[in-house]
Amino acid sequence: MARIHGVKERRVAMARGNRTDRTANAVNAVNAVNAVNPAKASGAANSPSAASPTGADDPPVVLLLGPTAAGKTAAALEIARSLPSEIVSVDSALVYRGMDLGTAKPSAEQRTLVVHHLIDILDPTQSYSAARFASDARGLIAAIRGRGRMPLVVGGTMLYVRALTEGLHELPDADPALRARLDAQALELGWPAMHAMLSQHDPATAARIEPGDAQRIQRALELIELTGQPVSALFAARPRAADLGRVLTVALEPSDRSALHRRIDSRLQTMFAAGLVDEVRGLRARGDLNPALPSMRCVGYRQVWEHLDGRYDAATTVARAAAATRQLAKRQLTWLRSMPGRAVVDCLARDAPRQVTRIVEEQR
């Protein structure tokens, strides 16, 4: 088994149970267009596990995807105003309660217009995964179809999208102790050095990861330690995908990358003005969170945490958050452009939400 610069060699069973208790998502009030039939909305119909076989007459699953700040929420709400729908969030940050400003979470008012799922389902101390998302989303899609509505899977966490549409490889769960040791090594050596270490053990995987992408570098090194195999070998076999029935993919993509960057910068300024620093300060004051948790690694939260540690002044923090958000958008667009068969709408167009809705109306 490979050893990662002094990290203790270990074997961990691949089939460990998820240690995070599943949390039911609260059902929001809905408007007349989306009013739930009380007989259908009770009990198992709202449970992610209430799956039913797909049928030819089922509404399509609409994947509404795009980079951060592309206007996905506005487009989803426009669809919901025209067609009976429910939204399944595909966003690894929106699952956390108490993290509202930095995640651009849909407002309470927006969430009264259409039912939203997989938002505010976890405490920030907990972790979520692509595998759990795929399981939850499949159950929700079946339940939404069972209510005669169209599932709108909306967001930008592309790994979750792949897990839902293409299936997942069997991989071990995260190991907190091993991750802590890797974090300690990175603190001493730096993540570029950890990336070089990964290159020695798995050049193919290292070539796909940026030297500063701490989360992906850590996970790759963790998998090598836990399995004794390069990550590229683990992913060589194609996983078996679930049958979702009809799927329509609509991508909100910018015709001008620099214009999207300006939108990102403007939105970040709004977040900071609205109190993002105070939001993170309140999370820190709980005493049970730390910067190694997945929740606190979210873009914006990580940079503000480091600001509150005294590492960066306010102006530098905003600039670092903007740079990290632009990098996130770049990765999201790379994923999107590798997806065949998607319908593309310019997210910078004034009528982008209406264009998306027309596509869905024509294809449903």
Side-chain angles (χ1 to χ4, degrees), residues 4-350:
I4 308 300
H5 277 229
V7 177
K8 184 178 179 182
E9 183 175 337
R10 51 175 41 215
R11 295 182 183 274
V12 175
M14 303 251 322
R16 288 190 306 195
N18 193 316
R19 294 171 183 164
T20 304
D21 291 335
R22 294 181 183 271
T23 307
N25 189 26
V27 177
N28 301 289
V30 292
N31 62 6
V33 172
N34 287 295
V36 179
N37 182 323
K40 292 184 178 181
S42 62
N46 284 316
S47 169
S49 62
S52 60
T54 59
D57 296 330
D58 285 335
V61 175
V62 176
L63 303 179
L64 177 55
L65 311 175
T68 184
K72 298 181 290 294
T73 296
L77 293 175
E78 180 75 16
I79 294 170
R81 276 190 283 268
S82 299
L83 301 169
S85 315
E86 295 182 28
I87 293 173
V88 178
S89 170
V90 55
D91 189 306
S92 59
L94 292 184
V95 298
Y96 293 113
R97 294 185 290 269
M99 295 174 57
D100 302 332
L101 295 174
T103 62
K105 190 172 290 179
S107 68
E109 180 182 0
Q110 289 171 327
R111 291 164 67 183
T112 63
L113 299 176
V114 57
V115 174
H116 285 67
H117 301 278
L118 302 185
I119 294 179
D120 286 346
I121 62 169
L122 295 180
D123 186 81
T125 56
Q126 298 174 293
S127 61
Y128 203 57
S129 67
R132 180 173 168 187
F133 167 79
S135 176
D136 288 348
R138 284 193 297 267
L140 287 165
I141 286 167
I144 292 166
R145 280 172 159 165
R147 294 192 282 274
R149 291 162 162 187
M150 187 167 59
L152 302 179
V153 181
V154 182
T157 302
M158 300 306 173
L159 178 61
Y160 286 14
V161 176
R162 175 174 288 181
L164 176 63
T165 59
E166 300 180 21
L168 279 177
H169 296 82
E170 292 291 333
L171 299 174
D173 292 340
D175 185 301
L178 177 52
R179 288 193 169 192
R181 289 195 291 275
L182 290 170
D183 280 336
Q185 278 187 282
L187 188 61
E188 179 183 353
L189 303 174
W191 284 109
M194 302 294 281
H195 184 268
M197 203 181 299
L198 176 61
S199 297
Q200 296 173 5
H201 294 281
D202 189 352
T205 298
R208 295 194 298 269
I209 300 177
E210 295 290 332
D213 192 340
Q215 192 163 352
R216 294 180 68 200
I217 294 169
Q218 182 196 61
R219 180 57 172 163
L221 292 173
E222 177 186 42
L223 287 173
I224 292 171
E225 276 293 306
L226 294 177
T227 68
Q229 299 182 62
V231 178
S232 52
L234 294 173
F235 283 88
R238 185 175 180 84
R240 187 169 65 88
D243 180 13
L244 297 177
R246 290 191 298 145
V247 177
L248 171 63
T249 303
V250 183
L252 285 163
E253 301 177 19
S255 56
D256 180 354
R257 185 83 62 92
S258 63
L260 178 66
H261 290 175
R262 289 192 294 273
R263 185 183 285 186
I264 287 170
D265 293 345
S266 175
R267 190 169 77 162
L268 271 171
Q269 292 290 345
T270 300
M271 288 176 178
F272 277 90
L276 177 57
V277 173
D278 287 337
E279 182 174 272
V280 180
R281 184 179 286 114
L283 291 167
R284 283 167 60 103
R286 290 173 34 150
D288 58 350
L289 302 178
N290 64 75
L293 288 168
S295 59
M296 294 299 102
R297 289 186 174 190
C298 292
V299 170
Y301 290 86
R302 176 186 296 185
Q303 290 75 25
V304 173
W305 189 289
E306 292 170 344
H307 163 65
L308 294 173
D309 279 341
R311 295 175 61 183
Y312 303 100
D313 62 24
T316 303
T317 298
V318 175
R320 293 181 71 248
T325 307
R326 288 193 292 269
Q327 283 297 313
L328 171 61
K330 179 181 178 181
R331 292 194 298 271
Q332 291 169 317
L333 286 168
T334 298
W335 278 77
L336 277 173
R337 287 166 181 168
S338 71
M339 298 176 68
R342 73 194 190 284
V344 177
V345 172
D346 182 3
C347 67
L348 304 174
R350 289 177 180 270

